[in-house]
Amino acid sequence: MRPKDRISYFYDGDVGSVYFGPNHPMKPHRLCMTHHLVLSYELHTKMEIYRPHKAYPAELAQFHSPDYVEFLHRITPDTQHLFPNDLAKYNLGEDCPVFENLFEFCQIYAGGTIDAARRLNNQLCDIAINWAGGLHHAKKCEASGFCYINDLVLGILELLKYHARVLYIDIDVHHGDGVEEAFYFTDRVMTVSFHKFGDMFFPGTGDVKEIGGKEGKFYAINVPLKDGIDDTSFTRLFKAIISKVVETYQPGAIVLQCGADSLAGDRLGCFNLSIDGHSECVRFVKKFNLPLLVTGGGGYTKENVARCWVVETGVLLDTELPNEIPENEYFKYFAPDYSLKIPRGNIVLENLNSKSYLSAIKVQVLENLRNIQHAPSVQMQEVCIPYSATQRIFSLLECCLLETR
């Protein structure tokens, strides 16, 4: 058992002040609510708190195309009418609107994830948290699903400078398609996504049959789920798959995307997870004692998002929180019971995930993992990558990232 974990926590209040629009489900304000809960429970006294740097355009262009980054940098609500073709080209519009301080918003949340990865690389912490990050749908050349810059891909690229293999785990209700696509053809990163699939649910990808390609074949794992999955079913499946993944893949670091739209009663979600069930996944991953980068993601019932992420901050700190929420600036949002537990009365959907269905998914995933268990691959050996060699690594990665399915 290693000594008590050193935890770095990244937050910039400006990230919660942007406004997607009156009818848009994404409310960055939830990040301010989360942070004030962290403060009210005095969790900040147990962590190192950092304000992230604003990622430079050149840093964003380590994954995204320079022309897309440049367009995000210069477009404003007042000028967007001048660029109808570019808006269509980069998929900016109803789901991904142009709003005030859009580029700065991207710089802050991406900077947080990059900084978190760098602190882990330099062994300055054991766990790094950036609840503002986790925007997993953004693609190399376009926005998607409320996501503009894919901070997760940028953080993983940073971790790959020091680690031969990185494991990405996603428990958002939506498929982590942007991260999967970025690393679809490489065995340097294994992506594992647990998500709702079917019924035209966004983004429409994430079938169990999507397993990666070329050198990355069998290194993309998808766990497609149906409406209404509950704590017991989800956590049992999660633990069985992740334990085998870690045993087989032997990652040097883990990135965990904790999208809270998989909670019961989410505005856009369709699962029945409680905060206890959701946070149990975080607790399980923490037990592997590997360098761990934790981000936020989706979550559209903002008071429940804040509840969830403060509980999971507590889990990472091995601190159990009282159910009664302390007074804080956003106290009124947690009425009428002012408790951490999700209030009764949330819509509870029928669990359409039968035991036979979940068993079949697990069997298929474990069978795919067996294909790499004894594969003769240099990536299955411990490889020390000196910092001076990172340019060569980025050249190799670029070959993978430029390819598309």
Side-chain angles (χ1 to χ4, degrees):
M1 193 74 178
R2 71 184 180 193
K4 194 170 181 65
D5 291 310
R6 300 164 300 158
I7 298 185
S8 295
Y9 170 97
F10 294 87
Y11 177 74
D12 184 328
D14 290 343
V15 81
S17 64
V18 299
Y19 185 52
F20 276 61
N23 299 313
H24 201 286
M26 177 61 96
K27 307 294 184 187
H29 188 59
R30 67 200 178 132
L31 299 166
C32 299
M33 295 171 64
T34 301
H35 183 65
H36 279 268
L37 276 186
V38 166
L39 296 178
S40 68
Y41 277 107
E42 299 186 348
L43 297 179
H44 60 292
T45 64
K46 303 180 180 183
M47 304 184 287
E48 297 174 323
I49 311 296
Y50 296 96
R51 186 173 187 172
H53 85 290
K54 293 177 183 176
Y56 301 106
E59 290 178 297
L60 305 180
Q62 288 180 351
F63 170 58
H64 294 283
S65 63
D67 60 301
Y68 172 55
V69 173
E70 194 273 332
F71 186 71
L72 286 180
H73 197 177
R74 64 185 168 90
I75 194 68
T76 69
D78 293 335
T79 62
Q80 61 178 321
H81 68 282
L82 302 173
F83 304 99
N85 294 335
D86 286 332
L87 290 173
K89 175 183 177 181
Y90 299 122
N91 198 33
L92 297 176
E94 186 175 353
D95 275 0
C96 300
V98 177
F99 51 81
E100 290 292 341
N101 300 316
L102 166 60
F103 191 68
E104 183 182 34
F105 171 69
C106 295
Q107 288 179 294
I108 293 171
Y109 78 73
T113 301
I114 293 169
D115 285 348
R118 287 174 178 162
R119 286 194 67 80
L120 289 168
N121 280 346
N122 289 297
Q123 299 180 17
L124 297 173
C125 64
D126 304 301
I127 298 171
I129 303 170
N130 178 30
W131 292 126
L135 279 73
H136 58 174
H137 295 306
K139 308 295 173 53
K140 183 180 180 66
C141 303
E142 65 176 42
S144 177
F146 317 158
C147 306
Y148 302 83
I149 291 294
N150 199 314
D151 63 291
L152 293 157
V153 172
L154 295 170
I156 291 169
L157 287 174
E158 198 69 33
L159 291 170
L160 287 171
K161 295 177 181 180
Y162 282 73
H163 299 282
R165 295 174 302 284
V166 174
L167 171 61
Y168 171 72
I169 304 170
D170 191 315
I171 58 172
D172 194 290
V173 77
H174 300 94
H175 178 227
D177 59 334
V179 183
E180 178 185 279
E181 183 176 298
F183 299 109
Y184 204 70
F185 298 109
T186 178
D187 59 2
R188 295 288 311 280
V189 179
M190 178 174 281
T191 59
V192 186
S193 179
F194 297 78
H195 52 267
K196 156 75 176 181
F197 179 74
D199 306 323
M200 304 294 289
F201 193 75
F202 183 86
T205 53
D207 195 314
V208 71
K209 297 174 184 176
E210 295 173 27
I211 57 173
K214 300 183 181 179
E215 288 79 10
K217 189 174 182 181
F218 301 117
Y219 291 88
I221 294 176
N222 285 297
V223 185
L225 302 167
K226 300 179 182 180
D227 287 2
I229 193 161
D230 57 26
D231 289 350
T232 302
S233 301
F234 191 94
T235 56
R236 183 186 294 132
L237 188 63
F238 182 88
K239 292 177 179 180
I241 289 174
I242 295 302
S243 58
K244 194 63 178 176
V245 163
V246 173
E247 176 192 333
T248 303
Y249 189 57
Q250 298 175 26
I254 299 176
V255 176
L256 176 59
Q257 195 266 22
C258 297
D261 46 8
S262 43
L263 292 174
D266 187 79
R267 182 176 171 186
L268 299 185
C270 52
F271 287 174
N272 278 335
L273 297 187
S274 70
I275 289 174
D276 287 339
H278 199 275
S279 62
E280 180 60 27
C281 297
V282 178
R283 182 176 285 105
F284 186 74
V285 173
K286 180 181 185 291
K287 288 179 180 177
F288 290 109
N289 287 336
L290 290 166
L292 177 59
L293 199 169
V294 179
T295 74
Y300 308 100
T301 302
K302 58 184 184 295
E303 59 274 16
N304 289 347
V305 175
R307 286 181 166 104
C308 183
W309 289 345
V310 76
V311 167
E312 289 172 350
T313 304
V315 165
L316 295 168
L317 287 164
D318 295 316
T319 302
E320 190 164 343
L321 305 180
N323 189 41
E324 186 177 336
I325 292 175
E327 287 275 356
N328 67 85
E329 190 173 330
Y330 298 96
F331 191 63
K332 65 181 181 181
Y333 286 90
F334 304 101
D337 55 358
Y338 305 100
S339 68
L340 272 185
K341 302 293 183 186
I342 295 178
R344 294 170 183 261
N346 276 335
I347 298 170
V348 178
L349 301 168
E350 179 187 357
N351 187 355
L352 300 181
N353 299 271
S354 66
K355 288 184 179 179
S356 59
Y357 174 76
L358 295 176
S359 177
I361 292 295
K362 183 173 78 169
V363 166
Q364 182 63 64
V365 168
L366 297 182
E367 181 61 35
N368 289 343
L369 276 170
R370 274 192 281 275
N371 284 290
I372 68 167
Q373 199 154 13
H374 304 294
S377 167
V378 67
Q379 299 304 335
M380 297 311 293
Q381 303 169 14
E382 289 301 324
V383 180
C384 182
I385 305 171
Y387 190 77
S388 59
T390 55
Q391 290 305 315
R392 182 168 59 85
I393 293 298
F394 271 112
S395 297
L396 292 171
L397 285 167
E398 190 172 303
C399 296
C400 299
L401 296 172
L402 287 175
E403 295 187 74
T404 56
R405 278 186 276 171

mmCIF file of all heavy atoms in Angstrom, residues 2-19:
data_model
loop_
_atom_site.group_PDB
_atom_site.id
_atom_site.type_symbol
_atom_site.label_atom_id
_atom_site.label_comp_id
_atom_site.label_asym_id
_atom_site.label_seq_id
_atom_site.Cartn_x
_atom_site.Cartn_y
_atom_site.Cartn_z
ATOM 1 N N ARG A 2 0.660 2.118 -0.987
ATOM 2 C CA ARG A 2 1.501 3.306 -1.052
ATOM 3 C C ARG A 2 1.025 4.338 -0.022
ATOM 4 O O ARG A 2 -0.088 4.249 0.492
ATOM 5 C CB ARG A 2 1.477 3.890 -2.458
ATOM 6 C CG ARG A 2 0.172 4.562 -2.858
ATOM 7 C CD ARG A 2 0.234 5.014 -4.322
ATOM 8 N NE ARG A 2 -1.004 5.667 -4.711
ATOM 9 C CZ ARG A 2 -1.317 5.938 -5.981
ATOM 10 N NH1 ARG A 2 -0.498 5.620 -6.949
ATOM 11 N NH2 ARG A 2 -2.455 6.532 -6.276
ATOM 12 N N PRO A 3 1.897 5.307 0.287
ATOM 13 C CA PRO A 3 1.480 6.370 1.217
ATOM 14 C C PRO A 3 0.244 7.099 0.698
ATOM 15 O O PRO A 3 -0.168 6.907 -0.449
ATOM 16 C CB PRO A 3 2.700 7.295 1.243
ATOM 17 C CG PRO A 3 3.836 6.473 0.757
ATOM 18 C CD PRO A 3 3.260 5.483 -0.205
ATOM 19 N N LYS A 4 -0.331 7.938 1.520
ATOM 20 C CA LYS A 4 -1.547 8.676 1.158
ATOM 21 C C LYS A 4 -1.365 9.401 -0.162
ATOM 22 O O LYS A 4 -0.332 10.024 -0.424
ATOM 23 C CB LYS A 4 -1.882 9.673 2.259
ATOM 24 C CG LYS A 4 -3.286 10.240 2.161
ATOM 25 C CD LYS A 4 -3.631 11.012 3.409
ATOM 26 C CE LYS A 4 -5.036 11.576 3.343
ATOM 27 N NZ LYS A 4 -6.058 10.536 3.313
ATOM 28 N N ASP A 5 -2.378 9.303 -1.028
ATOM 29 C CA ASP A 5 -2.282 9.893 -2.363
ATOM 30 C C ASP A 5 -2.110 11.402 -2.302
ATOM 31 O O ASP A 5 -2.775 12.084 -1.519
ATOM 32 C CB ASP A 5 -3.549 9.565 -3.173
ATOM 33 C CG ASP A 5 -3.641 8.101 -3.538
ATOM 34 O OD1 ASP A 5 -2.647 7.569 -4.066
ATOM 35 O OD2 ASP A 5 -4.696 7.490 -3.299
ATOM 36 N N ARG A 6 -1.232 11.891 -3.165
ATOM 37 C CA ARG A 6 -1.083 13.336 -3.359
ATOM 38 C C ARG A 6 -2.003 13.727 -4.511
ATOM 39 O O ARG A 6 -1.883 13.194 -5.609
ATOM 40 C CB ARG A 6 0.365 13.676 -3.696
ATOM 41 C CG ARG A 6 1.375 13.284 -2.613
ATOM 42 C CD ARG A 6 2.787 13.291 -3.173
ATOM 43 N NE ARG A 6 2.903 12.338 -4.274
ATOM 44 C CZ ARG A 6 3.840 12.411 -5.224
ATOM 45 N NH1 ARG A 6 4.709 13.397 -5.232
ATOM 46 N NH2 ARG A 6 3.874 11.498 -6.182
ATOM 47 N N ILE A 7 -2.899 14.665 -4.254
ATOM 48 C CA ILE A 7 -3.916 15.011 -5.250
ATOM 49 C C ILE A 7 -3.789 16.466 -5.672
ATOM 50 O O ILE A 7 -3.730 17.370 -4.834
ATOM 51 C CB ILE A 7 -5.327 14.719 -4.701
ATOM 52 C CG1 ILE A 7 -5.449 13.214 -4.407
ATOM 53 C CG2 ILE A 7 -6.398 15.180 -5.686
ATOM 54 C CD1 ILE A 7 -6.811 12.768 -3.975
ATOM 55 N N SER A 8 -3.736 16.673 -6.979
ATOM 56 C CA SER A 8 -3.745 18.017 -7.568
ATOM 57 C C SER A 8 -5.123 18.268 -8.172
ATOM 58 O O SER A 8 -5.657 17.421 -8.886
ATOM 59 C CB SER A 8 -2.668 18.143 -8.642
ATOM 60 O OG SER A 8 -1.379 18.026 -8.085
ATOM 61 N N TYR A 9 -5.661 19.443 -7.890
ATOM 62 C CA TYR A 9 -7.029 19.799 -8.308
ATOM 63 C C TYR A 9 -6.953 21.110 -9.082
ATOM 64 O O TYR A 9 -6.353 22.081 -8.613
ATOM 65 C CB TYR A 9 -7.876 19.927 -7.051
ATOM 66 C CG TYR A 9 -9.261 20.511 -7.196
ATOM 67 C CD1 TYR A 9 -10.378 19.694 -7.312
ATOM 68 C CD2 TYR A 9 -9.470 21.899 -7.161
ATOM 69 C CE1 TYR A 9 -11.663 20.233 -7.387
ATOM 70 C CE2 TYR A 9 -10.743 22.442 -7.242
ATOM 71 C CZ TYR A 9 -11.840 21.601 -7.358
ATOM 72 O OH TYR A 9 -13.097 22.136 -7.431
ATOM 73 N N PHE A 10 -7.559 21.122 -10.274
ATOM 74 C CA PHE A 10 -7.467 22.288 -11.153
ATOM 75 C C PHE A 10 -8.832 22.957 -11.295
ATOM 76 O O PHE A 10 -9.841 22.302 -11.556
ATOM 77 C CB PHE A 10 -6.931 21.863 -12.531
ATOM 78 C CG PHE A 10 -5.509 21.381 -12.472
ATOM 79 C CD1 PHE A 10 -5.221 20.056 -12.193
ATOM 80 C CD2 PHE A 10 -4.457 22.270 -12.652
ATOM 81 C CE1 PHE A 10 -3.914 19.613 -12.103
ATOM 82 C CE2 PHE A 10 -3.147 21.839 -12.557
ATOM 83 C CZ PHE A 10 -2.866 20.512 -12.279
ATOM 84 N N TYR A 11 -8.826 24.298 -11.130
ATOM 85 C CA TYR A 11 -10.080 25.052 -11.245
ATOM 86 C C TYR A 11 -9.792 26.506 -11.578
ATOM 87 O O TYR A 11 -8.880 27.123 -11.023
ATOM 88 C CB TYR A 11 -10.862 24.984 -9.931
ATOM 89 C CG TYR A 11 -12.132 25.803 -9.958
ATOM 90 C CD1 TYR A 11 -13.246 25.375 -10.672
ATOM 91 C CD2 TYR A 11 -12.207 27.029 -9.286
ATOM 92 C CE1 TYR A 11 -14.411 26.137 -10.707
ATOM 93 C CE2 TYR A 11 -13.374 27.787 -9.310
ATOM 94 C CZ TYR A 11 -14.465 27.341 -10.031
ATOM 95 O OH TYR A 11 -15.613 28.090 -10.075
ATOM 96 N N ASP A 12 -10.581 27.034 -12.501
ATOM 97 C CA ASP A 12 -10.574 28.461 -12.830
ATOM 98 C C ASP A 12 -12.023 28.911 -12.884
ATOM 99 O O ASP A 12 -12.808 28.390 -13.687
ATOM 100 C CB ASP A 12 -9.881 28.681 -14.183
ATOM 101 C CG ASP A 12 -9.752 30.153 -14.556
ATOM 102 O OD1 ASP A 12 -10.633 30.947 -14.189
ATOM 103 O OD2 ASP A 12 -8.772 30.510 -15.241
ATOM 104 N N GLY A 13 -12.395 29.863 -12.025
ATOM 105 C CA GLY A 13 -13.779 30.314 -11.945
ATOM 106 C C GLY A 13 -14.336 30.839 -13.255
ATOM 107 O O GLY A 13 -15.548 30.788 -13.487
ATOM 108 N N ASP A 14 -13.468 31.309 -14.144
ATOM 109 C CA ASP A 14 -13.937 31.853 -15.423
ATOM 110 C C ASP A 14 -14.591 30.783 -16.301
ATOM 111 O O ASP A 14 -15.411 31.105 -17.163
ATOM 112 C CB ASP A 14 -12.772 32.500 -16.193
ATOM 113 C CG ASP A 14 -12.297 33.785 -15.537
ATOM 114 O OD1 ASP A 14 -13.039 34.347 -14.699
ATOM 115 O OD2 ASP A 14 -11.183 34.241 -15.860
ATOM 116 N N VAL A 15 -14.223 29.514 -16.077
ATOM 117 C CA VAL A 15 -14.759 28.454 -16.931
ATOM 118 C C VAL A 15 -16.255 28.260 -16.686
ATOM 119 O O VAL A 15 -16.987 27.789 -17.560
ATOM 120 C CB VAL A 15 -13.988 27.124 -16.708
ATOM 121 C CG1 VAL A 15 -14.479 26.392 -15.458
ATOM 122 C CG2 VAL A 15 -14.092 26.219 -17.921
ATOM 123 N N GLY A 16 -16.726 28.656 -15.491
ATOM 124 C CA GLY A 16 -18.136 28.492 -15.181
ATOM 125 C C GLY A 16 -18.993 29.690 -15.509
ATOM 126 O O GLY A 16 -20.207 29.671 -15.292
ATOM 127 N N SER A 17 -18.380 30.731 -16.057
ATOM 128 C CA SER A 17 -19.128 31.961 -16.312
ATOM 129 C C SER A 17 -19.625 32.082 -17.746
ATOM 130 O O SER A 17 -20.365 33.007 -18.063
ATOM 131 C CB SER A 17 -18.247 33.177 -15.983
ATOM 132 O OG SER A 17 -17.120 33.223 -16.841
ATOM 133 N N VAL A 18 -19.223 31.154 -18.627
ATOM 134 C CA VAL A 18 -19.677 31.239 -20.023
ATOM 135 C C VAL A 18 -21.103 30.708 -20.135
ATOM 136 O O VAL A 18 -21.579 29.959 -19.283
ATOM 137 C CB VAL A 18 -18.730 30.474 -20.977
ATOM 138 C CG1 VAL A 18 -17.331 31.059 -20.935
ATOM 139 C CG2 VAL A 18 -18.701 28.989 -20.674
ATOM 140 N N TYR A 19 -21.763 31.114 -21.215
ATOM 141 C CA TYR A 19 -23.194 30.833 -21.367
ATOM 142 C C TYR A 19 -23.457 30.339 -22.777
ATOM 143 O O TYR A 19 -23.265 31.068 -23.748
ATOM 144 C CB TYR A 19 -23.974 32.114 -21.073
ATOM 145 C CG TYR A 19 -25.471 31.976 -21.067
ATOM 146 C CD1 TYR A 19 -26.109 31.006 -20.309
ATOM 147 C CD2 TYR A 19 -26.271 32.848 -21.816
ATOM 148 C CE1 TYR A 19 -27.492 30.884 -20.281
ATOM 149 C CE2 TYR A 19 -27.658 32.757 -21.801
ATOM 150 C CZ TYR A 19 -28.263 31.767 -21.027
ATOM 151 O OH TYR A 19 -29.629 31.656 -21.004
#
